[in-house]
Each structure stands twice: as C-alpha cells, then as structure tokens.
Amino acid sequence: MKKLTHYNRLVLSVCLCSVVTFSNIYWLQPLLPTLQHEFNISLLAANLTMSAPLLGMGLGLLIFASLSDSIGRRPILLKGMIAGLCVSLLLPLVENYSLFLSLRFIQGALLSVCPAVAIPLLGEELRKSWLPAAVGFYIASNTIGGISSRLVGGASVDLLGSWQATGYAIAAFTAILFMAVYFIIPKQRHFTAQQFKLKPSLNMFSKHLQRPQLLLLYIVIGLAFGCFVNLFSYLMSVLEEAPYQLPSALRSLVFITFLGGTMSASLAGKFSKKHGQLAGVATGVCIMLLANFLLSNHNLSVMIIGMIMMAFGFFFCHAQASTLVSRTAKKGKGSAQALYSLFYYTGASLGVFFIAPFYERWGWQGVLTSTSIALIICLALLALYQVKYTVQQKQVSSSI
C-alpha cells in the first residue's frame, strides 16, 4: 500500500508541475493582438512574447538536466518552480516591453526545470512496469496545461477586462496547484548523486552534433515546431481582423484543435512498428503540408479541419522524431534528448523571424508559404538522413 501511495503522490506531483509550467508559458498566445495594442508594438514584437520563454526553456533544459544529476531532482524541481512562479506574479506589473520580454525569457528558463527533470525523476523512483503509464500521464498533463491555459487566457481577458488581471488569475491558480505539489511530493528514495563535470558533458554534446543523422533530426524538429507554434500565433491576429473579427474568447477556442495531436501521439507507436520511425516523421511532415493547403481556404470550417490536421501532423512527427533520436544515439542518450529539446524550443523561438517578412509582404498566405518552404526542407533533410543511414548500414555489412 505504501508503494502505491508513493507512486500516486509522485505521479500527481509531476503532472501538476507540468500543468503549472505550460500554463504559465502558453496563456499569452491567444492574447498577442491584445498585447500588440496595449504596448503599441508591431505584430512581430508581440510574437516575441512567445519566442522569449521558449528560447529560455531550451537553454534552461541543458542547465537543469545537468545540475539535477548532482543536486537531486526533487529539490531543484521545487526551487526552479517557485522562482518561475515569482516571475509570473511580476509580469502584470511591468509596463516596459523590453523588461517584459526579459522576464518572459527568465520565466521560461526557470520553468524548464519541469521538463528537464520530470521523466528522469519518474524513471529513478518507479518500477519499470509502472513507468510507461506514468510518462503517459505526464505527457497528457503537458497537453492539458497548454490547451487549458490558452482557453482560460483568451476567455478571461474579456471577462476580467485586461490581460494584467488575467495574468494574476493564471499566476494565482497555478500557485495554488504548486502548493499542493510542495506538500505531497515524496522524498527521493533511489537518487544517487553524480559529480558534475563540465568538460565531459560538453564533449558528449559535441559528439552528438558531429553525427550527421542526429544533427539532421535536430534541425527537422526545430523547423517543424517553429512552423507549428508560430503559425498559430499569427493565426490569432488573422482571426481578429476582417472578415472573421472574432473576440478573444472565440479565438482561444482554436486551441481545442490541439487535441488532434493528443490522438496522433497515441497512434505513432503502432505506425512505427509497421513502417519505422523515419517514415513516421516524414508522414507527420506531409500531413502538416496538407494542413497548410486547407488553411489557405478562407472558409472558417475548412480552416478548422486544417488546424486539426496541423496539430495531428506535428505531434505525430514529434513522437516519432524523439524516439528516433533515442534509437540513433548509442551513448549519452540523456544529452542527446537534451539537445533535441534545445533545437525544439529554439526552433519555435526563432521561427517567428523567418515567417515575419512573408507575413508583412503577403499576409496570411505569406505565413503558409513560409511554413510550406520550411516543411519541404524538412522532407529533403529526412531524405538525406535515409541516405546516411543506408551508407552506414552498407559500411557495417562490409566490415562484417
């Protein structure tokens, strides 16, 4: 009974931390047009509100993943989350946009402690037979935090009258969730501290980046996530303007389409067993390209189908690519996944700069053109990956 209690407390704590983390990162996405008007800034500058914390998360993941090996998962998780929530409480007070962006970057870096240590913590403390279900709950919590905060953020700004009041509401609610975590998270039983050595860690990162197959996968996921998250950011502005002119609450409902990604992630495993992970990544990218075609239609019903397909395709691609990275990296799997996360979040952060000139010149069709170009590049890189893999297999066969 004690083991069951330990399991429940640990899994619930990690899941709540996930909801807190992604709620505080993504609640502002449906409010980008509001921030544009409030701070009197361009749409590109408003989109940096999402780019800054995602870049912070990518860099923070590398730091926390390494430090937790020597300090411990539980203490670094609690301290990082507390610091991140303190930044959330400061954000509504800020009137200078440069300072606002700086705090968003710091917030992302601090809250990255959750994705950095969550799965290693579960892996150390739970039986192997319990781990798949626990990780499944954790990933579902990522989705819940991201979708619910976008919905609440979009609806609350109309109800409460300002983005600042919405920010306080999100911060207060997630602080209450974290207080529950603080009291129920169990102490670690199986953690063994490792001495932190910078040089070996950097050497392992360097070795991964020198492997063409891994580097290609990193670039692909950076491009794919950069397309996915920034396309929806620009969509918020498009839906605010004519002919749609949707209020914030209705615009936020767009993010319900992300549930298509939840469904696709569950199908990814079955697909890979039959066709392989590389084919799965390519299939996900092709679905995203088809979604772009549907999103070019001005009929809102057709666009909604395109949004669902976009989410379905991206998360299908993401599930396959992360598994393929783990399979490709024979040594240092943890650092290989950390680099994957770095490219993942950095791609989302920098993607806005690639899309911006297309949007300024051609509007929504420019956004779709730029993301289509990036996705076609992804397919070319995956073809190159296949060539590298085939050459490698022939070399192995000839050596035998």
Side-chain angles (χ1 to χ4, degrees):
M1 185 66 185
K2 289 183 179 179
K3 290 183 178 179
L4 182 63
T5 302
H6 181 81
Y7 169 88
N8 288 337
R9 289 170 61 195
L10 182 63
V11 174
L12 180 59
S13 298
V14 169
C15 289
L16 288 177
C17 280
S18 174
V19 172
V20 170
T21 296
F22 292 101
S23 292
N24 281 282
I25 294 297
Y26 287 114
W27 70 274
L28 275 170
Q29 192 170 19
L31 304 184
L32 296 183
T34 302
L35 294 179
Q36 185 181 358
H37 301 316
E38 288 283 329
F39 285 101
N40 193 25
I41 52 177
S42 66
L43 182 58
L44 173 60
N47 277 314
L48 295 181
T49 304
M50 293 305 304
S51 297
L54 292 173
L55 180 61
M57 288 197 82
L59 298 175
L61 275 163
L62 295 180
I63 298 170
F64 286 125
S66 300
L67 288 179
S68 68
D69 288 336
S70 56
I71 297 174
R73 321 289 182 200
R74 181 181 181 273
I76 204 168
L77 175 64
L78 293 176
K79 291 175 182 177
M81 294 294 294
I82 290 172
L85 284 170
C86 287
V87 176
S88 296
L89 291 169
L90 289 175
L91 283 172
L93 299 173
V94 177
E95 296 181 359
N96 180 279
Y97 193 64
S98 296
L99 177 59
F100 185 81
L101 287 181
S102 299
L103 287 175
R104 283 286 282 171
F105 173 83
I106 294 170
Q107 181 186 46
L110 292 170
L111 292 177
S112 71
V113 69
C114 178
V117 309
I119 293 180
L121 175 60
L122 293 172
E124 288 170 349
E125 297 298 310
L126 302 180
R127 290 180 182 178
K128 288 185 178 179
S129 60
W130 295 346
L131 187 58
V135 171
F137 285 128
Y138 167 71
I139 293 174
S141 300
N142 293 351
T143 308
I144 292 170
I147 295 176
S148 62
S149 64
R150 289 173 169 107
L151 293 175
V152 172
S156 296
V157 73
D158 291 336
L159 182 65
L160 300 177
S162 70
W163 72 267
Q164 292 94 337
T166 302
Y168 282 128
I170 293 288
F173 176 69
T174 52
I176 291 171
L177 292 182
F178 179 73
M179 287 176 62
V181 171
Y182 190 85
F183 288 108
I184 67 174
I185 187 170
K187 292 183 178 180
Q188 290 180 259
R189 296 175 175 176
H190 307 293
F191 174 73
T192 302
Q194 301 175 18
Q195 185 178 359
F196 176 70
K197 295 181 179 179
L198 180 62
K199 189 173 181 180
S201 297
L202 294 177
N203 286 339
M204 186 56 71
F205 287 134
S206 177
K207 287 179 181 178
H208 291 320
L209 292 173
Q210 290 172 24
R211 291 198 62 188
Q213 288 170 281
L214 282 175
L215 183 58
L216 289 172
L217 286 174
Y218 293 152
I219 296 173
V220 165
I221 197 60
L223 288 172
F225 191 45
C227 290
F228 176 70
V229 72
N230 287 297
L231 183 145
F232 275 88
S233 292
Y234 278 98
L235 185 59
M236 292 298 99
S237 179
V238 171
L239 294 179
E240 184 201 31
E241 299 169 353
Y244 310 105
Q245 295 180 318
L246 298 181
S248 180
L250 289 180
R251 290 199 307 270
S252 66
L253 293 178
V254 162
F255 295 103
I256 294 177
T257 60
F258 281 24
L259 293 175
T262 305
M263 180 176 63
S264 73
S266 64
L267 298 175
K270 295 179 181 179
F271 183 95
S272 64
K273 287 180 181 179
K274 187 174 182 180
H275 303 286
Q277 274 94 21
L278 185 62
V281 178
T283 299
V285 172
C286 288
I287 294 172
M288 292 175 73
L289 273 170
L290 180 58
N292 261 6
F293 174 75
L294 294 177
L295 285 167
S296 66
N297 192 300
H298 293 291
N299 185 289
L300 190 56
S301 298
V302 178
M303 291 180 70
I304 290 172
I305 296 173
M307 295 172 210
I308 295 171
M309 288 185 63
M310 180 63 70
F312 186 101
F314 171 71
F315 285 104
F316 193 85
C317 170
H318 177 30
Q320 305 281 6
S322 59
T323 305
L324 190 55
V325 165
S326 181
R327 194 189 75 181
T328 304
K330 304 302 179 184
K331 294 181 180 179
K333 291 182 181 291
S335 55
Q337 287 293 341
L339 279 173
Y340 178 89
S341 297
L342 174 63
F343 276 78
Y344 180 86
Y345 287 112
T346 303
S349 177
L350 300 181
V352 65
F353 296 104
F354 174 67
I355 296 174
F358 288 85
Y359 176 78
E360 290 171 3
R361 182 72 182 272
W362 296 291
W364 177 238
Q365 295 304 320
V367 173
L368 298 176
T369 299
S370 61
T371 52
S372 294
I373 291 171
L375 293 171
I376 291 170
I377 292 173
C378 287
L379 291 177
L381 294 175
L382 292 172
L384 184 58
Y385 179 101
Q386 180 62 49
V387 171
K388 295 285 185 182
Y389 177 77
T390 303
V391 170
Q392 186 183 61
Q393 290 299 103
K394 287 182 179 179
Q395 290 175 343
V396 172
S397 300
S398 61
S399 64
I400 296 175

